[in-house]
């Protein structure tokens, strides 16, 4: 079992709708979680970090963390075609190492 | 500089050739990380520096891989006797503080193709 698991997708969402991206992690000692966006052929770009249980909102993005369920999610409201990318979930594990999931490909349908 | 820079952006090597990949982190960033990203995968950790000290090299796949950061700023990842399985994008990231907890900022990557 990989430490960070994501559905590879593609996830197709109509423009203007809410895109929901999910991630689970196996190391209960993980304390910090990150969402990166990666356009094809480009490097990952940090869009959200979350450290405590609950929701964290930044513009159209909301990150959610549930440590009891070892679950992290990212919601994108009012999805735009420019949101089409691969979204990488990452966690900082007990060895102080950031572990990435494989990423979920998101496709916003115009 | 404004962001993390890497050079070269693309490198084609013949099998058995040695290569050196350079990373210039954001000025003042203490921590520097190297990752390997294969097609369709997330970045895989290779090694981590805090200033000039290499604190973790557990992700380096073999002793053909070597990284250094002698003055605590620029870093070089060297791959000796390249193999086809070394073909990947090599990403460098830096973060302001020590430890892995801080947000990391990535460079554009070096795409290595070994023929």
């Amino acid at each position: 079992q990989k430490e960070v698991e994501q559905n590879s997708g593609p996830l197709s969402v109509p423009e203007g709708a809410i895109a929901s991206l999910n991630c689970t992690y196996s190391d209960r000692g993980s304390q910090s979680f990150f969402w990166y966006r990666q356009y094809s052929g480009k490097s990952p770009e940090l869009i959200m970090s979350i450290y405590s249980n609950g929701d964290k909102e930044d513009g159209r993005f909301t990150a959610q963390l549930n440590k009891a369920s070892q679950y992290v999610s990212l919601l994108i409201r009012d999805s735009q075609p420019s949101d089409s990318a691969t979204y990488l979930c990452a966690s900082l594990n007990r060895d102080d190492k950031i572990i990435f999931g494989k990423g979920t490909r998101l496709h916003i349908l115009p | 500089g404004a962001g993390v820079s890497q050079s070269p952006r693309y490198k084609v090597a013949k099998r058995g050739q040695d290569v050196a990949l350079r990373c210039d982190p954001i000025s003042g960033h203490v921590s520097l990380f190297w990752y390997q990203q294969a097609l369709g995968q997330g970045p895989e950790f290779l090694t981590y520096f805090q200033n000039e000290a290499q604190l973790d090299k557990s992700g380096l796949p073999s002793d053909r891989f070597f990284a250094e950061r002698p003055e605590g700023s620029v870093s070089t990842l060297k791959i000796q006797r390249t193999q086809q399985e070394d073909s990947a994008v090599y990403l460098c990231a830096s973060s302001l503080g020590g430890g892995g907890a801080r947000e990391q900022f990535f460079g554009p990557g070096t795409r290595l193709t070994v023929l």
Side-chain angles (χ1 to χ4, degrees), chain A residues 69-89:
Chain A
S69 301
Q70 296 176 242
Y71 180 90
V72 192
S73 65
L74 179 70
L75 302 178
I76 307 175
R77 288 181 299 282
D78 188 24
S79 297
Q80 304 295 310
S82 59
D83 294 328
S84 297
T86 296
Y87 289 80
L88 298 163
C89 173

Side-chain angles (χ1 to χ4, degrees), chain A residues 52-78:
Chain A
S52 54
N53 276 330
D55 294 1
K56 179 181 177 183
E57 187 174 319
D58 184 2
R60 295 187 296 113
F61 299 99
T62 298
Q64 299 174 319
L65 174 60
N66 183 325
K67 290 185 179 179
S69 301
Q70 296 176 242
Y71 180 90
V72 192
S73 65
L74 179 70
L75 302 178
I76 307 175
R77 288 181 299 282
D78 188 24

Side-chain angles (χ1 to χ4, degrees), chain A residues 5-44:
Chain A
E5 299 263 13
Q6 295 180 257
N7 188 321
S8 61
L11 174 66
S12 296
V13 173
E15 184 176 355
I18 295 175
S20 177
L21 303 159
N22 305 314
C23 170
T24 58
Y25 61 95
S26 60
D27 184 354
R28 282 198 172 275
S30 298
Q31 294 296 320
S32 305
F33 303 89
F34 309 91
W35 282 100
Y36 284 83
R37 178 176 61 201
Q38 187 171 28
Y39 292 114
S40 181
K42 302 294 186 183
S43 59

